[in-house]
Amino acid sequence: MATIWLVTRIKIGEFRDRASELIRRAAGGETVVILNRNREVAKIVPITTKTDDGGGLVGSLAGTAEVRGDIESPIASPNHWFRHRT
């Protein structure tokens, strides 16, 4: 499946006159490149959001770790955990 990227190149003076329209177009998925004396100086791009991001920070590392060995057994003996400190 191919993705088509819409890019509009516009001179800075024209951008100044049509800023609201061009920002709405960027919000709709179009990229707007602003030119100053035919040199690219800025770019307005759509903000993309993921709908299945797992709720932000929680779950963002899902599937990136591997559990090895026994994770249920204690790492020290019960005597070590419950000894009295003096």
Side-chain angles (χ1 to χ4, degrees):
M1 182 171 154
T3 302
I4 298 174
W5 299 98
L6 297 175
V7 178
T8 298
R9 296 167 52 93
I10 191 161
K11 293 183 178 181
I12 197 165
E14 189 176 349
F15 173 77
R16 195 177 5 227
D17 297 336
R18 299 174 46 202
S20 295
E21 172 202 342
L22 294 166
I23 290 171
R24 278 192 297 276
R25 287 169 60 178
E30 191 171 340
T31 298
V32 179
V33 176
I34 302 169
L35 306 171
N36 186 12
R37 297 183 180 161
N38 292 327
R39 196 185 90 198
E40 295 180 352
V41 294
K43 186 186 297 186
I44 302 173
V45 296
I47 295 176
T48 58
T49 59
K50 294 181 180 180
T51 56
D52 58 336
D53 64 356
L57 184 59
V58 176
S60 63
L61 295 176
T64 61
E66 179 180 332
V67 177
R68 295 183 182 175
D70 184 3
I71 62 171
E72 295 179 353
S73 298
I75 58 173
S77 69
N79 293 334
H80 178 75
W81 283 101
F82 300 110
R83 71 175 187 222
H84 294 288
R85 295 184 183 213
T86 54

